Amino acid sequence: MSKLALGSHPFLLGFEQLERLVERTAKTDQNGYPPYNIEQTGETAYRVTLAVAGFGADDLSITVEDNQLVIRGRTSDEPGQRAYLHRGIAARQFQRTFVLADGVEVSGASIEHGLLHVDLMRSVPEPVVRNIKIRKSQE
């Protein structure tokens, strides 16, 4: 008995990219820094919140690249500027990616109290019903 790949099931026509998407999502698992939450804030609205203590708005960038939300952080702290006796607040550079479904758009971002909030909205497509005309073969 052979096992069918997820994207090659006969009823999933045109979903060849689904398997690649699942593989890409598995590769985005990072070291856990910075910690984050994902919450549903409405029927079609979501919020990704990252704990970014020590980062300012100028130290962060948010981009959408090929249906991936990419959040990067880089501190402008030069080594040697401060003499830490203990450094427990990690402010190292990071890149955190989230794969977005088709139709999900970033609607805004804000930073407050050391938390970066990225708001997402999913557009709901209108249902489309089309009748397909059947041609008669020329006999």
Side-chain angles (χ1 to χ4, degrees), residues 59-61 71 123 133:
D59 301 326
L60 300 166
S61 71
I71 303 170
S123 59
K133 184 176 180 179

Side-chain angles (χ1 to χ4, degrees), residues 57-120:
D58 294 337
D59 301 326
L60 300 166
S61 71
I62 303 169
T63 57
V64 177
E65 305 168 4
D66 192 27
N67 280 4
Q68 285 192 49
L69 172 64
V70 181
I71 303 170
R72 293 180 179 94
R74 177 177 297 219
T75 60
S76 54
D77 232 10
E78 295 293 324
Q81 280 186 338
R82 298 181 182 183
Y84 292 99
L85 299 178
H86 171 76
R87 187 166 184 174
I89 300 172
R92 61 186 183 267
Q93 72 179 23
F94 69 88
Q95 176 174 309
R96 176 71 73 179
T97 60
F98 302 90
V99 177
L100 302 178
D102 288 337
V104 175
E105 303 276 333
V106 176
S107 61
S110 62
I111 188 168
E112 60 180 337
H113 307 295
L115 298 174
L116 174 66
H117 303 289
V118 181
D119 295 313
L120 307 169

